[in-house]
Amino acid sequence: MPRQPEGTKREAQRLFSFFKAAGGISIDTEILQPAGTLLDLYGEDIRSRAFVLNDPDRGELVLRPDFTVPVSTYHLSAKADRQRYVYLGTVFRRQLGSVPRPAEYLQVGFEDLGRFDTARADAEAFALVSDALGGTAFRPATGDLGILIAAVEGLDTAARRKSALLRHIWRPARFRSLLERFSSATISPAREKLLRSVEQRPVAELVEAAGQLAGERTVAEIEDRIEALSEDAATPPLEKKQVEALEFLQRQRGTSTDAYEKLRRLESDLPGIKPVLDKMSERLGQLESCGVDVDSLDFDSSFGRTMLEYYDGFVFGFYSPARSNQPFAASGGRYGALTRIISKGKEIPAVGAIVRPAIVREQELRG
């Protein structure tokens, strides 16, 4: 493992003991994990972020990029009831970008699975990490990806368009591009030309006339894609008021209580968000009961959209305001959708968090 700040292992053990004392069983997982679940979650993008290996007997594997997936897999395969797991170990990530960061590092964390009092579980997860970092200079940030997800699911548009937007929640630039396209009544000249061509001749004839197929798509897949393009071209643009409401939603930043009040004003245009905001209200009350000052707690409605893609609800992180290029010292959130993917259909409540002891220790050494 690359060199870490002096005392990192001691700090990792302190954090692990702190989380374990709060209730939970310790768990470890294999360093080599099946790549299948991660590919289902992220698609081929994961290859640029994880160390992928091929084993003749076990197939495609990855060096453990986190503990959440294997711990959740264990819990679901064991058909366990409510349980909190605590762990400490090394994770491995390819690091992209110009800022040098370690490709392997210690991670301490916990996963709370099967708790149906989700607002309380969210609040306790945040408060537990906050208490573990007590006395340090890290500032908390929070968000709720469930609000944007619910807003998209409630749009008055075709299912294909909603599915496309939901797929790119975690890619803000692509999401914005799709939103602009779906709110326009015009289509590109190239797409218009293609759709006119298939109105005159069957797709199979056009493909045959074009010569040998390039790439891996079959004629049937090409037909399905053109059908989707035709359906999209016939779909009316998104209503202006819904687009404006979505854009306003994504811009909300401030204290949790102020953001909550502003988001409530969007319910008439985005009715799908009401149940999520009801849950947010409940969570704010639970955070207060855990000793958190919600009137000064930062909230950003787009926070978490560039984090791991399995977060789909309340998200939080702790960072150093003085070092903006440093990764979060701790982060966590709710990830029910991940459990649905792992179990192939059954979703259970799940929330967890991780701490990077090297960053905590580095901050301590800096004073």
Side-chain angles (χ1 to χ4, degrees), residues 183-245:
S183 60
S184 172
T186 61
I187 62 175
S188 69
R191 183 171 296 187
E192 186 176 15
K193 181 180 179 181
L194 172 64
L195 294 177
R196 284 179 178 172
S197 297
V198 297
E199 287 176 358
Q200 299 169 3
R201 298 175 66 185
V203 173
E205 287 186 15
L206 290 171
V207 170
E208 185 178 356
Q212 187 174 358
L213 285 173
E216 299 181 359
R217 281 187 177 178
T218 65
V219 173
E221 288 171 333
I222 294 172
E223 288 177 332
D224 287 343
R225 175 58 180 160
I226 290 176
E227 180 182 347
L229 293 175
S230 298
E231 179 186 311
D232 186 68
T235 302
L238 288 170
E239 293 183 18
K240 183 179 179 180
K241 63 179 183 179
Q242 288 198 319
V243 174
E244 291 174 345

Side-chain angles (χ1 to χ4, degrees), residues 16 19-20 23-27 84-88 109-111:
F16 177 78
F19 290 151
K20 196 168 188 304
I25 61 173
S26 59
I27 189 171
R84 177 184 286 170
Y85 303 91
V86 183
Y87 50 81
L88 186 167
F110 60 88
E111 310 298 336

Side-chain angles (χ1 to χ4, degrees), residues 38 41-42 46 49 65-69 93 105 107 145 170 304-312 315 331 334-335 354:
L38 290 168
L41 280 169
Y42 309 126
I46 190 61
R49 290 183 275 170
D66 70 8
F67 279 85
T68 303
V69 172
R93 300 267 184 87
Y105 51 89
Q107 191 177 87
L145 292 170
W170 297 268
R305 294 181 68 188
T306 56
M307 291 166 65
L308 292 174
E309 296 177 22
Y310 49 64
Y311 289 128
D312 59 354
V315 285
S331 59
R334 181 153 294 279
Y335 55 91
I354 63 96

Side-chain angles (χ1 to χ4, degrees), residues 168-195:
H168 293 288
I169 290 284
W170 297 268
R171 300 173 182 85
R174 178 59 176 156
F175 182 91
R176 190 180 308 111
S177 176
L178 283 173
L179 195 59
E180 289 175 358
R181 179 157 69 84
F182 295 160
S183 60
S184 172
T186 61
I187 62 175
S188 69
R191 183 171 296 187
E192 186 176 15
K193 181 180 179 181
L194 172 64
L195 294 177

Side-chain angles (χ1 to χ4, degrees), residues 273-303:
I273 68 175
K274 184 182 184 306
V276 188
L277 292 181
D278 290 345
K279 183 63 67 174
M280 180 180 177
S281 176
E282 184 183 352
R283 183 174 63 245
L284 290 175
Q286 293 291 349
L287 283 166
E288 280 191 305
S289 72
C290 289
V292 178
D293 180 8
V294 296
D295 290 330
S296 64
L297 180 63
D298 287 344
F299 181 90
D300 181 343
S301 57
S302 286
F303 179 72

